[in-house]
Amino acid sequence: MNKPNIVILGAGYGGMMTTVKLQKSLNINEATITLVNKNDYHYQSTWLHENAAGTLHHDRTRIPVKDVVNMSKVNFIEDTVVSIKPDEKKVKLENSVLDYDILVLGLGFEAATFGIPGLEEHAFTIGNINSARLIKEHIEYNFAMYHNEKEKNQGRLNIVVGGGGFTGIEFVGELANRIPELCNEYDIDKALVRVINVEGSPSVLPGFDPQLVEYAMNSLESRGVEFITGAMLKECKPDSIVYQKDDKLEEIPTQTTVWAAGVRANSIVEASGFQTNRGKAEVRPDMRAPDYDDVFVIGDCALIMNEETGRPYPPTAQIAIQESGIVAHNVKSLVQGKDELEAFEPKILGTVASLGHTDAIGVVLNQRKIFGWSATVMKKVIDNRYLLKLGGPGLLIRKGKFNIFY
Amino acid sequence: MNKPNIVILGAGYGGMMTTVKLQKSLNINEATITLVNKNDYHYQSTWLHENAAGTLHHDRTRIPVKDVVNMSKVNFIEDTVVSIKPDEKKVKLENSVLDYDILVLGLGFEAATFGIPGLEEHAFTIGNINSARLIKEHIEYNFAMYHNEKEKNQGRLNIVVGGGGFTGIEFVGELANRIPELCNEYDIDKALVRVINVEGSPSVLPGFDPQLVEYAMNSLESRGVEFITGAMLKECKPDSIVYQKDDKLEEIPTQTTVWAAGVRANSIVEASGFQTNRGKAEVRPDMRAPDYDDVFVIGDCALIMNEETGRPYPPTAQIAIQESGIVAHNVKSLVQGKDELEAFEPKILGTVASLGHTDAIGVVLNQRKIFGWSATVMKKVIDNRYLLKLGGPGLLIRKGKFNIFY
């Protein structure tokens, strides 16, 4: 190849870290690197629930691309990907078309509503900076409205979160911290506010240790969160949600339904003709798409099977960041004409779920369970470690979480 | 009279200052003083436009009643007045009925929409803490929504203010300061945002010196405010307003119409059978209602003719505060069995209209015109002077405006 074009789609965890690693490891004469992203900023999608609850400003969550990408080494294009044509080695953007020699596809997730009526129209999702800050504003608006109506509307004070997985639980945890502030701000009796988590499984946080799950539910319930488990959302209306539990239909009046129960890979993966499994490209060990030698897929768009469990690894930031190391290494090998690509081996170092900023649960190396203050500290350590990797100490100082005593 | 019941309705400028003066001048054995107010706080209605624009937190604008009223000397009842029966000397509240020997009626203003279709349903008014903070939230919500819709809705970024009087102008002034912050917060191009003041007269700020009006319009236009004068609002729709100018109907798409062009006295005045002029009790020189010797009317519910101009004095905080001096004095005289009541003589010390927190215009004693920085300082001096009168140095320090350099 004669100075190949490397095109990286998406500045999420995977795409961003790949870019940062390649700009360090490749000489400017070896390849042209182009990063494409919808916005001129990267954001930490694992922090969005805090922006949505209003406990963290969204500017803490996002990082301008130019702050971590060396613009003299990387071409940055702010545009939206429309489609990929892997046979022609072209990417169609809204405003231009790019040719590539090596593609890194890291276009992330989108919400999946499984055809539940009204969800797409009336429910909010915690998908990006825009949708997260909208939830914050929407809740505040409804609280502000409450005392402006003669007929009090309880639906303005009910917040229903669909899904008791990671995002749903972390979000209700933040809400539990936020509600007292909101009540104070809008002169509302805290006893009137309901935060309700609706989950289809018999328990929340599926896959977590049952002891930790119990700890989490106790912690959240003590701060006013209600759980309705074994309940399937049936319909989302503009001012209520309907769910089924024990063969009975129930309805909760609410102006605010947040859907946190389903994500899927960006639908561009499927639409572009890659061979997929559950909407994702089931990548080879070297992280390349099954059917194209010049396309790497990373993060939530890639599916990697866990041989031990026979189930795919979950789409986490941790895995996307780890993948970037192999992807960057293998891209460099291709550029330098080496045939031997390395295989990716995920190392799950631990998982911590926050329960608001005052509590957390987690499992760290060797299945050690942690909870409470030590888990909140661990969560911040994980977050800060990523910032250090991404942008060095300067970025860590600007965006890191250091207030370990809350 | 044998320890008469003094009942004061409303903790606005007039009622609040009357209460504070009476609790100082009357001995607890001379009379029972009862203050009735809808909320447990007093607020400065002249600051509400800042809360509505989001440039000042509403807690700066309100003052808990207990912070200035001595609860061991005054009975405070948090309730809403339903009706007054002056012939029976009774006041009906939502939750009880009060008897009085002397009544001070200071129930303030309400919005008047003059039957313009849709205004009551779809327009906001800057009437109290609840409605002011709702406007702030509404604007933020619309800005947050903007990037969440595929089809961009310009109506979310257009803010129409109906009325170029005092409130309308002060509000657009604050908006002019606020818009750049909002654009920054929600990633919106400032050039897209429109703040439009629609006024029926040929000029805004009727009654103000033409030179100062010109100064004000220049100042506001230079910060992006648009003026449409000689235009009558014809209809307010959920997502637009229609006005007529030069016999042509025009429509502006907007989600946010703020109606600042009309207030009237609380309709309870008229409904309770007091003899009224333009909905207000045209009080005698001693501030008593024309038809009842035991009822004083104060503030926006009272009408006082300016003999020089043949027009009523405007319903301002300044006049309400001055009236409280005479009302308190005359109430005390009645309690002490004196027949000679004093007559009220308004002294217009000056009028300052802010144009956001960086500019203002005004007229002070002897018709001296002021504008710019000195006028902004004068405005703060006026505001701080009131706080000092109401609650002494402690209140001034807590709620005063001291940042004269912005």
Side-chain angles (χ1 to χ4, degrees):
Chain A
M1 285 194 279
N2 195 1
K3 204 180 179 191
N5 275 323
I6 303 167
V7 172
I8 300 161
L9 303 181
Y13 290 104
M16 198 67 176
M17 283 298 291
T18 302
T19 307
V20 166
K21 283 175 174 157
L22 282 176
Q23 78 184 2
K24 280 182 200 157
S25 67
L26 279 179
N27 186 297
I28 199 164
N29 299 317
E30 288 180 289
T32 306
I33 306 172
T34 303
L35 173 65
V36 178
N37 196 50
K38 202 185 282 192
N39 307 300
D40 62 359
Y41 54 83
H42 160 73
Y43 57 83
Q44 300 218 52
S45 52
T46 59
W47 295 13
L48 288 174
H49 63 282
E50 299 176 57
N51 310 143
T55 48
L56 185 80
H57 192 272
H58 58 260
D59 280 339
R60 286 286 302 281
T61 296
R62 64 179 168 182
I63 298 157
V65 169
K66 66 174 171 42
D67 283 7
V68 283
V69 167
N70 184 336
M71 294 297 199
S72 65
K73 287 185 169 180
V74 174
N75 303 320
F76 174 66
I77 300 179
E78 187 181 338
D79 205 343
T80 301
V81 176
V82 176
S83 62
I84 303 164
K85 298 192 173 151
D87 292 317
E88 302 171 29
K89 301 193 174 198
K90 283 185 192 300
V91 178
K92 193 163 179 283
L93 309 180
E94 273 182 4
N95 301 306
S96 61
V97 174
L98 298 178
D99 293 304
Y100 66 79
D101 295 303
I102 300 171
L103 186 71
V104 178
L105 196 171
L107 289 171
F109 66 88
E110 56 190 44
T113 53
F114 308 123
I116 299 172
L119 219 46
E120 203 159 322
E121 298 85 338
H122 307 305
F124 296 88
T125 54
I126 305 176
N128 52 49
I129 294 282
N130 284 326
S131 68
R133 72 181 153 197
L134 180 62
I135 293 170
K136 167 185 175 283
E137 292 301 334
H138 180 81
I139 293 171
E140 290 179 2
Y141 185 60
N142 276 284
F143 274 57
M145 259 294 196
Y146 188 73
H147 284 308
N148 280 279
E149 291 168 321
K150 271 183 198 152
E151 189 108 355
K152 297 298 179 207
N153 179 354
Q154 178 60 35
R156 299 205 182 278
L157 307 184
N158 290 350
I159 302 171
V160 176
V161 178
F166 221 88
T167 307
I169 292 302
E170 290 202 314
F171 180 51
V172 296
E174 291 300 317
L175 283 178
N177 287 138
R178 177 70 172 146
I179 296 300
E181 293 172 12
L182 286 172
C183 288
N184 193 35
E185 180 74 9
Y186 300 103
D187 304 323
I188 286 168
D189 178 1
K190 192 173 164 301
L192 294 173
V193 179
R194 295 179 67 192
V195 174
I196 307 155
N197 188 273
V198 179
E199 165 61 37
S201 317
S203 162
V204 299
L205 290 173
F208 253 87
D209 177 276
Q211 262 192 310
L212 290 177
V213 172
E214 199 185 324
Y215 177 91
M217 288 178 77
N218 282 341
S219 166
L220 293 169
E221 282 174 339
S222 75
R223 283 178 283 146
V225 176
E226 302 169 45
F227 290 98
I228 303 175
T229 53
M232 305 300 291
L233 278 199
K234 285 293 168 187
E235 187 181 354
C236 184
K237 302 182 185 176
D239 45 20
S240 74
I241 62 121
V242 180
Y243 66 90
Q244 186 176 351
K245 181 172 167 128
D246 303 331
D247 292 329
K248 269 191 294 196
L249 286 180
E250 308 275 357
E251 188 159 2
I252 304 173
T254 180
Q255 298 292 316
T256 313
T257 299
V258 177
W259 177 243
V263 294
R264 48 159 296 160
N266 194 314
S267 51
I268 287 176
V269 177
E270 217 163 47
S272 301
F274 293 104
Q275 189 184 314
T276 55
N277 178 350
R278 306 171 204 206
K280 302 179 176 197
E282 189 172 354
V283 292
R284 293 179 261 175
D286 59 16
M287 297 302 299
R288 286 189 292 183
D291 26 16
Y292 294 94
D293 283 347
D294 45 15
V295 177
F296 292 85
V297 186
I298 191 165
D300 296 354
C301 294
L303 185 132
I304 300 170
M305 276 294 169
N306 183 340
E307 303 295 340
E308 284 177 39
T309 63
R311 296 175 55 192
Y313 283 103
T316 64
Q318 181 177 186
I319 290 194
I321 295 163
Q322 289 181 13
E323 288 170 350
S324 72
I326 292 297
V327 171
H329 178 275
N330 288 346
V331 167
K332 186 182 174 188
S333 296
L334 286 189
V335 168
Q336 296 178 339
K338 297 174 192 158
D339 274 348
E340 294 275 311
L341 300 191
E342 276 187 20
F344 175 60
E345 275 179 47
K347 281 193 214 91
I348 307 297
L349 300 171
T351 309
V352 184
S354 68
L355 309 167
H357 53 267
T358 51
D359 204 353
I361 55 168
V363 173
V364 286
L365 278 176
N366 304 323
Q367 298 303 310
R368 193 164 71 77
K369 292 175 221 169
I370 56 172
F371 55 85
W373 181 69
S374 57
T376 68
V377 173
M378 182 62 76
K379 182 87 180 173
K380 285 170 187 145
V381 167
I382 293 169
D383 287 339
N384 290 344
R385 216 164 144 256
Y386 168 65
L387 289 169
L388 191 63
K389 276 190 199 171
L390 180 67
L395 183 65
L396 175 60
I397 283 164
R398 282 203 305 286
K399 305 277 181 175
K401 292 180 174 176
F402 302 106
N403 185 13
I404 61 167
F405 303 107
Y406 318 133
Chain B
M1 285 190 282
N2 195 1
K3 203 178 181 194
N5 275 323
I6 302 167
V7 172
I8 299 161
L9 303 181
Y13 290 104
M16 199 65 174
M17 283 299 291
T18 301
T19 307
V20 167
K21 283 178 175 156
L22 283 177
Q23 79 184 2
K24 280 183 199 155
S25 67
L26 279 180
N27 187 297
I28 199 164
N29 299 317
E30 288 180 288
T32 306
I33 305 173
T34 303
L35 172 65
V36 178
N37 196 49
K38 201 184 284 191
N39 307 299
D40 63 359
Y41 54 82
H42 160 74
Y43 56 84
Q44 301 217 49
S45 52
T46 58
W47 295 14
L48 288 173
H49 63 282
E50 298 176 56
N51 310 143
T55 48
L56 184 80
H57 192 275
H58 57 261
D59 281 339
R60 285 286 304 280
T61 296
R62 65 179 168 181
I63 298 158
V65 169
K66 65 173 169 43
D67 283 9
V68 284
V69 169
N70 183 337
M71 293 299 196
S72 65
K73 288 187 171 179
V74 174
N75 302 319
F76 175 65
I77 300 179
E78 188 181 337
D79 205 343
T80 302
V81 177
V82 177
S83 61
I84 303 165
K85 295 188 177 155
D87 292 318
E88 302 170 30
K89 299 191 176 201
K90 282 183 193 299
V91 177
K92 193 163 181 280
L93 309 181
E94 276 181 5
N95 302 306
S96 62
V97 173
L98 297 179
D99 293 303
Y100 65 78
D101 295 302
I102 299 170
L103 187 72
V104 178
L105 197 171
L107 290 170
F109 66 87
E110 57 188 46
T113 53
F114 309 124
I116 298 171
L119 218 47
E120 202 157 325
E121 298 86 340
H122 307 306
F124 295 87
T125 53
I126 305 176
N128 52 49
I129 294 282
N130 284 324
S131 69
R133 71 182 153 196
L134 180 62
I135 293 171
K136 165 185 178 284
E137 293 302 334
H138 180 83
I139 293 170
E140 290 179 2
Y141 185 59
N142 276 285
F143 274 57
M145 259 295 196
Y146 188 73
H147 284 309
N148 280 279
E149 290 169 320
K150 270 182 195 148
E151 187 108 356
K152 297 299 179 209
N153 178 354
Q154 178 60 33
R156 299 205 181 279
L157 307 184
N158 291 349
I159 302 171
V160 176
V161 178
F166 221 88
T167 307
I169 292 302
E170 290 202 316
F171 181 52
V172 297
E174 292 300 315
L175 283 177
N177 286 138
R178 177 69 172 146
I179 296 300
E181 292 172 14
L182 285 171
C183 288
N184 193 36
E185 181 73 10
Y186 301 102
D187 304 324
I188 286 168
D189 179 0
K190 194 175 163 301
L192 293 173
V193 179
R194 293 179 67 193
V195 174
I196 307 155
N197 187 273
V198 179
E199 164 60 38
S201 318
S203 162
V204 298
L205 290 173
F208 253 87
D209 176 278
Q211 261 191 314
L212 290 177
V213 172
E214 198 184 325
Y215 177 91
M217 290 181 73
N218 281 342
S219 166
L220 293 168
E221 282 176 339
S222 76
R223 285 178 284 147
V225 176
E226 302 170 44
F227 290 98
I228 303 176
T229 53
M232 304 301 290
L233 279 200
K234 285 293 170 188
E235 187 180 354
C236 183
K237 301 181 185 178
D239 46 18
S240 74
I241 61 121
V242 180
Y243 66 90
Q244 185 175 353
K245 182 174 165 130
D246 303 333
D247 291 328
K248 270 190 293 195
L249 285 180
E250 308 275 355
E251 190 160 3
I252 305 173
T254 180
Q255 298 291 317
T256 312
T257 299
V258 177
W259 176 243
V263 295
R264 47 159 296 164
N266 193 315
S267 50
I268 287 177
V269 178
E270 216 161 45
S272 300
F274 293 104
Q275 189 185 314
T276 55
N277 178 351
R278 305 167 205 210
K280 302 180 176 194
E282 190 172 350
V283 292
R284 292 180 262 174
D286 58 19
M287 296 304 299
R288 286 189 291 180
D291 25 18
Y292 294 93
D293 283 347
D294 45 16
V295 178
F296 292 84
V297 185
I298 191 166
D300 295 355
C301 293
L303 185 132
I304 299 171
M305 275 294 169
N306 183 337
E307 304 295 338
E308 283 176 41
T309 63
R311 296 175 55 195
Y313 283 102
T316 64
Q318 182 178 186
I319 288 191
I321 294 163
Q322 289 182 12
E323 288 169 350
S324 72
I326 292 297
V327 170
H329 178 275
N330 288 347
V331 167
K332 186 183 172 188
S333 296
L334 285 188
V335 167
Q336 297 179 339
K338 295 176 194 159
D339 274 348
E340 293 277 309
L341 301 190
E342 275 188 21
F344 175 60
E345 274 179 49
K347 280 193 215 92
I348 307 299
L349 299 170
T351 309
V352 184
S354 70
L355 310 168
H357 53 265
T358 50
D359 205 353
I361 55 167
V363 172
V364 286
L365 279 174
N366 305 323
Q367 299 302 311
R368 194 164 68 82
K369 294 175 220 169
I370 56 173
F371 55 86
W373 181 70
S374 57
T376 68
V377 173
M378 182 61 78
K379 182 88 179 172
K380 284 169 188 147
V381 167
I382 292 169
D383 287 339
N384 290 345
R385 216 163 144 254
Y386 169 65
L387 290 169
L388 191 64
K389 275 191 200 171
L390 180 66
L395 183 67
L396 174 61
I397 283 163
R398 285 203 304 287
K399 305 278 180 173
K401 293 180 172 174
F402 302 106
N403 184 12
I404 60 166
F405 302 108
Y406 318 135

